[in-house]
Amino acid sequence: MDINISEARSKVNARGFLDIEVDPTLDLFREIERLKKEKNAVLLAHYYQEPDIQDVADYIGDSLGLAQQAAKTDADIIVFAGVHFMAETAKILNPHKKVLLPDLKAGCSLADSAPAALFKQFKAKHPDHIVISYINCTAEIKALSDIICTSGNAKQIIESVPADQPIIFAPDKNLGGYLNKITGRNMVLWNGACMVHEIFSLEKIKKLKVRHPHAKLIAHPECEEAILREAEFIGSTTQLLKFAVQDDAKEYIVATETGILHQMQQDAPTKTFIPAPPDNSCACNDCPHMKLNTLEKLYLCMEYETPEITMEEELRVAALKPIERMLEISRKAGLIG
Ligand code: 13P
Ligand code: SF4
């Protein structure tokens, strides 16, 4: 292994991760398990992570489940195998714990679509509105919000707000449009979207349906309206997984990031899961941000405890309030324990 650790450490912020070679003979699964025990670290992973990372995680979940796990863990270190806003949320909830992210550059196109300065101006144009923000946003946007939601609790969060209270919903216009439809609200939508969920091809999905007439289309609400209109079930990643396991069909076309297929296949081994095709030459739809994390980077961040998420205390406190409101409403609605 390249032992020039201090030089690599000095480049972590620019590079995104500790850029040193990993001994190819190391059993990374065993090493990661060892590090978890030695450091009292918990490894939280999102369903969009590569299968090896999911297999070594202590908990795999959707954004709501992950936030809840982060809120209740008694580990000293939280290792977050996901994207930056997820690790940042864990840090907001745990100022005294070390929060590690395998690659700091694992961002999110949706979070990037709402820069705080522009959002502030947008908010100022709607002074009577409260702000509900999807958790896929930066800490700065969270600090400008009244309540955070995820795709797993958004309907209940919106319904907890009095019907005559106008709402701004940010940053996902597709999720916001879908929520307007199912709640009958008329929320003002920020014009953001997820690069992964926006590029599914309705035409290709329809062709797939001809080849698989009994397959059910299930979709994440970040997908465009045209896809959602055709879907037989819409939900967060955890909800899609539960539906796929409990439902009685044998085949599903899955319109979300392909990482979820790993758990679907594990939990329902006799069923067939087909990734919904995007409008390009690929057969499946990977999130380039989520897939920046690798087993090697995960091992390195745990071994050397870098890259670490840090945040100004003032920003953290401001971003914490709307997250706490989300957790409180979710608890009352029986969505989390
Ligand atoms: P959920 O897992 O909460 O459904 O979120 C999906 C997603 O796009 C995360 O980036
Ligand atoms: Fe962001 Fe979309 Fe990737 Fe999720 S799938 S992390 S919303 S870019």
Side-chain angles (χ1 to χ4, degrees), residues 108-115 118-119 122 134 136-137 141 168-178 188-198 221-225:
C108 168
S109 63
L110 189 46
D112 290 347
S113 69
L118 287 181
F119 187 70
F122 181 76
Y134 188 34
N136 298 36
C137 64
I141 296 293
I168 291 175
F169 186 84
D172 190 357
K173 63 174 179 194
N174 292 318
L175 175 61
Y178 168 68
V188 175
L189 308 180
W190 178 263
N191 187 20
C194 157
M195 63 190 285
V196 178
H197 289 88
E198 267 220 320
E222 286 174 26
C223 292
E224 288 185 324
E225 199 199 344

Side-chain angles (χ1 to χ4, degrees), residues 196-260:
V196 178
H197 289 88
E198 267 220 320
I199 60 165
F200 289 114
S201 162
L202 187 59
E203 207 185 310
K204 288 187 191 170
I205 290 174
K206 283 187 171 166
K207 279 186 189 155
L208 253 185
K209 286 276 259 176
V210 174
R211 288 210 300 278
H212 302 267
H214 302 297
K216 283 187 180 170
L217 174 66
I218 58 175
H220 194 279
E222 286 174 26
C223 292
E224 288 185 324
E225 199 199 344
I227 305 289
L228 296 179
R229 234 183 285 128
E230 299 295 320
E232 282 159 87
F233 182 78
I234 297 167
S236 77
T237 49
T238 295
Q239 291 165 344
L240 293 175
L241 177 62
K242 277 193 187 147
F243 177 81
V245 171
Q246 289 164 6
D247 184 60
D248 55 11
K250 301 225 165 347
E251 275 186 310
Y252 300 86
I253 299 169
V254 184
T256 191
E257 212 269 3
T258 43
I260 187 74

Side-chain angles (χ1 to χ4, degrees), residues 35-337:
L35 289 164
K36 280 200 255 178
K37 284 196 195 86
E38 275 179 22
K39 298 183 186 234
N40 187 27
V42 66
L43 174 53
L44 307 180
H46 189 265
Y47 289 119
Y48 297 165
Q49 292 294 287
E50 61 173 53
D52 281 351
I53 295 182
Q54 292 189 38
D55 290 348
V56 77
D58 295 304
Y59 176 86
I60 324 168
D62 65 1
S63 304
L64 179 60
L66 289 163
Q68 190 201 5
Q69 291 297 319
K72 71 178 193 193
T73 183
D74 55 8
D76 295 316
I77 298 180
I78 299 172
V79 187
F80 218 112
V83 289
H84 194 275
F85 76 81
M86 295 177 170
E88 202 173 52
T89 303
K91 184 66 186 177
I92 293 167
L93 288 160
N94 293 282
H96 305 300
K97 294 189 198 298
K98 195 172 257 188
V99 178
L100 305 172
L101 179 65
D103 191 326
L104 278 181
K105 296 206 168 172
C108 168
S109 63
L110 189 46
D112 290 347
S113 69
L118 287 181
F119 187 70
K120 228 182 206 168
Q121 290 171 18
F122 181 76
K123 191 181 155 180
K125 285 188 193 144
H126 304 279
D128 306 336
H129 291 54
I130 65 156
V131 177
I132 300 183
S133 292
Y134 188 34
I135 198 163
N136 298 36
C137 64
T138 60
E140 286 79 6
I141 296 293
K142 289 185 174 78
L144 291 166
S145 307
D146 295 284
I147 322 177
I148 298 303
C149 71
T150 73
S151 49
N153 62 15
K155 183 172 178 281
Q156 290 84 351
I157 298 278
I158 291 163
E159 286 172 348
S160 77
V161 174
D164 58 352
Q165 170 61 59
I167 302 170
I168 291 175
F169 186 84
D172 190 357
K173 63 174 179 194
N174 292 318
L175 175 61
Y178 168 68
L179 291 166
N180 272 343
K181 198 169 151 191
I182 61 168
T183 62
R185 303 295 267 252
N186 186 23
M187 299 186 295
V188 175
L189 308 180
W190 178 263
N191 187 20
C194 157
M195 63 190 285
V196 178
H197 289 88
E198 267 220 320
I199 60 165
F200 289 114
S201 162
L202 187 59
E203 207 185 310
K204 288 187 191 170
I205 290 174
K206 283 187 171 166
K207 279 186 189 155
L208 253 185
K209 286 276 259 176
V210 174
R211 288 210 300 278
H212 302 267
H214 302 297
K216 283 187 180 170
L217 174 66
I218 58 175
H220 194 279
E222 286 174 26
C223 292
E224 288 185 324
E225 199 199 344
I227 305 289
L228 296 179
R229 234 183 285 128
E230 299 295 320
E232 282 159 87
F233 182 78
I234 297 167
S236 77
T237 49
T238 295
Q239 291 165 344
L240 293 175
L241 177 62
K242 277 193 187 147
F243 177 81
V245 171
Q246 289 164 6
D247 184 60
D248 55 11
K250 301 225 165 347
E251 275 186 310
Y252 300 86
I253 299 169
V254 184
T256 191
E257 212 269 3
T258 43
I260 187 74
L261 268 69
H262 178 59
Q263 284 307 311
M264 287 179 171
Q265 211 62 79
Q266 281 199 347
D267 293 356
T270 59
K271 295 187 175 186
T272 303
F273 298 102
I274 308 161
D279 205 3
N280 58 33
S281 52
C282 295
C284 66
N285 213 0
D286 280 332
C287 171
H289 306 289
M290 286 280 183
K291 289 331 199 251
L292 272 185
N293 294 329
T294 61
L295 205 59
E296 284 80 7
K297 288 179 190 170
L298 175 59
Y299 158 72
L300 285 170
C301 91
M302 293 177 73
E303 173 75 18
Y304 297 100
E305 299 185 19
T306 191
E308 186 186 348
I309 303 290
T310 55
M311 198 179 307
E312 295 277 334
E313 183 59 8
E314 201 181 327
L315 174 61
R316 188 194 71 79
V317 171
L320 178 63
K321 271 193 216 146
I323 297 175
E324 283 183 331
R325 281 198 76 186
M326 169 185 86
L327 293 172
E328 193 189 308
I329 297 166
S330 304
R331 247 177 245 121
K332 279 191 190 144
L335 295 172
I336 57 175

